[in-house]
Amino acid sequence: MSEAPVRPAGSLRPARPSPNAVVAVLALAGITVSLMQTLVIPIVPELPKYLNASASDAAWAVTATLLAAAVATPVAGRIGDMFGKRLMLLVSLVLLVAGSVVCALSGALVPMIVGRTLQGLAAAVVPLGISIMRDELPPERLAGSTALMSASLGVGGALGLPAAAFIADHFDWHVLFWTSATLGVVAFALVVLLVPESTVRSGGRFDAVGAVGLAVGLVSLLLAVSKGADWGWASGTTLGLFALAVVVLVAWGFFELRTSRPLVDLRTTARRQVLFTNLASIAFGFSMFAMSLVLPQLLQLPAQTGYGLGRSMMTVGLVMAPQGLVMMGFAPVSAAITKARGPKITLMIGAVIVAAGYGLNIVLMSQVWHLVLVSCIIGAGVGFAYGAMPALIMAAVPASETAAANSLNTLMRSIGTSVASAVAGVILAQLTISLGGATLPSENGFKAVMAIGAGAAVLAFVLASFLPGRRTAEAGPAPAPTEPSAEPVR
């Protein structure tokens, strides 16, 4: 149930800057936060030594960020809708800086996990930034700007990998986190100076029970998905977490449908445009992450395998970096197609491009330039899709629910990436070869993962075909279904 937007009187806000400045600052904030996803990748093999911990324990430095991001994204989006999107954006950046400083000062496992958890709590920056754009930018600028903001997820991840690899190779590993803290401070200062506070707010009371229920359900689900391979998919712990997730999320759904001010408006989420966009987001999240799992391993496996290229982590970063630039470069193209034909067509085009990229990868994987080409093609397709998804969401929800709806869509992508990691891990663990006494993923294993990535993109195309006809965010949301009116916001 949606609430009428309220505009706080006398709110302090910076003098209105140019739209270009707002877009640039928000995109920088998105890139800064997305760096957290790749920041530790170059040092993952060394984390047990750095933290004096076992490999399985050190892996929590990655898992903690995933779980914190899943919980924080929908909660921060809802709070942003209620009390101020810019405020929550600044809070998220403060958490990012705090987490980076804790990691930079850590030399043991527990503080590292705490710091990485704080970094994960900043994950809502991108959906919050998109929501601020809807409230503050002229309609003719919205499609291109939101496409660019969405692309910042890929840009930060792609560019962060070579930068992190360079820092890890040439400096103490703590410099990685001091660098992220510095970027967070810069982003915070620029948001304070140049980004106005959105005056569109829903007000009301925060659904604390819904937040706790969603957190328990999501953590149970994602923990089972991400750690199932280590614990065993048939182990009591894994099956128990899956069962807990089902029970809690079903109960949470019943509660949300019956509360007057839910954390997630499930009636809005069930609208065809929102529902199928979110389902397509899961498929795209799966498809995009499959490439992120396959290409680095192909590049780093020994050449003696016959298909590995025996390259360094630095080379991996340089191969993946163009993908982020392609995503950013295609943002205006995505926006132009959205304006001309609607975001549904843009999303379907993106799905076709991603599927074609994976198909090409199955036959072209023996040279570095093959992988650069495939990475760029898939990046272009993801750029199209990630630019269209916010437009589809914003066209279907009221302005007072923009941040919550975009945050939920971001969460759907994260669920897709988590499932992709689990599925790819199972496949690559089953299809192996033996080399010098070591067990390594086989060429057929990689091809199977790429085929599934192509299938996920095709699934996204099919799901997108069920979306309603052309409607863009500029046209405003579809009329809400008739429901009993909520109490007025005061």
Side-chain angles (χ1 to χ4, degrees), residues 279-371:
L279 292 175
S281 296
I282 296 175
F284 260 107
F286 185 107
S287 190
M288 179 182 179
F289 201 66
M291 177 200 61
S292 300
L293 292 167
V294 168
L295 266 60
Q297 293 194 61
L298 283 174
L299 284 162
Q300 290 185 282
L301 281 174
Q304 291 89 332
T305 60
Y307 51 90
L309 300 177
R311 303 305 175 101
S312 66
M313 176 58 74
M314 188 67 191
T315 302
V316 172
L318 293 174
V319 168
M320 301 292 285
Q323 179 200 25
L325 299 177
V326 169
M327 287 180 66
M328 180 174 287
F330 272 85
V333 181
S334 169
I337 295 175
T338 294
K339 288 181 179 179
R341 302 295 303 277
K344 171 182 176 178
I345 299 300
T346 309
L347 182 57
M348 295 174 76
I349 291 173
V352 170
I353 295 174
V354 171
Y358 276 111
L360 189 64
N361 199 185
I362 292 174
V363 296
L364 288 181
M365 54 185 289
S366 60
Q367 301 290 332
V368 171
W369 72 266
H370 290 170
L371 302 185

Side-chain angles (χ1 to χ4, degrees), residues 3-8 74-85 87-88 128 197-208 261-263 399-404 489:
E3 300 92 359
V6 295
R7 298 180 181 273
V75 172
R78 180 59 178 152
I79 295 175
D81 280 334
M82 294 173 66
F83 305 117
K85 303 177 184 74
L87 172 63
M88 283 310 302
L128 287 168
E197 175 62 271
S198 169
T199 57
V200 179
R201 302 184 188 177
S202 65
R205 295 181 298 274
F206 180 67
D207 178 16
R261 298 184 184 276
L263 177 74
S400 59
E401 297 181 13
T402 304
V489 180

Side-chain angles (χ1 to χ4, degrees), residues 174-390:
H174 293 91
V175 175
L176 288 169
F177 297 101
W178 286 120
T179 302
S180 67
T182 302
L183 290 173
V185 170
V186 171
F188 179 91
L190 291 174
V191 170
V192 169
L193 292 173
L194 297 174
V195 176
E197 175 62 271
S198 169
T199 57
V200 179
R201 302 184 188 177
S202 65
R205 295 181 298 274
F206 180 67
D207 178 16
V209 175
V212 172
L214 183 62
V216 173
L218 286 175
V219 168
S220 301
L221 175 64
L222 294 176
L223 195 55
V225 169
S226 60
K227 304 295 285 186
D230 295 332
W231 295 338
W233 292 107
S235 70
T237 302
T238 302
L239 295 177
L241 285 171
F242 276 127
L244 178 62
V246 171
V247 172
V248 170
L249 290 175
V250 169
W252 171 81
F254 278 109
F255 176 82
E256 292 294 280
L257 288 171
R258 285 160 176 74
T259 188
S260 60
R261 298 184 184 276
L263 177 74
V264 177
D265 190 338
L266 294 180
R267 292 181 176 86
T268 298
T269 304
R271 293 178 191 169
R272 184 171 58 152
Q273 183 154 321
V274 179
L275 176 62
F276 279 95
T277 301
N278 284 333
L279 292 175
S281 296
I282 296 175
F284 260 107
F286 185 107
S287 190
M288 179 182 179
F289 201 66
M291 177 200 61
S292 300
L293 292 167
V294 168
L295 266 60
Q297 293 194 61
L298 283 174
L299 284 162
Q300 290 185 282
L301 281 174
Q304 291 89 332
T305 60
Y307 51 90
L309 300 177
R311 303 305 175 101
S312 66
M313 176 58 74
M314 188 67 191
T315 302
V316 172
L318 293 174
V319 168
M320 301 292 285
Q323 179 200 25
L325 299 177
V326 169
M327 287 180 66
M328 180 174 287
F330 272 85
V333 181
S334 169
I337 295 175
T338 294
K339 288 181 179 179
R341 302 295 303 277
K344 171 182 176 178
I345 299 300
T346 309
L347 182 57
M348 295 174 76
I349 291 173
V352 170
I353 295 174
V354 171
Y358 276 111
L360 189 64
N361 199 185
I362 292 174
V363 296
L364 288 181
M365 54 185 289
S366 60
Q367 301 290 332
V368 171
W369 72 266
H370 290 170
L371 302 185
V372 173
L373 175 63
V374 167
S375 174
C376 289
I377 292 173
I378 295 176
V382 173
F384 272 94
Y386 278 18
M389 288 172 187

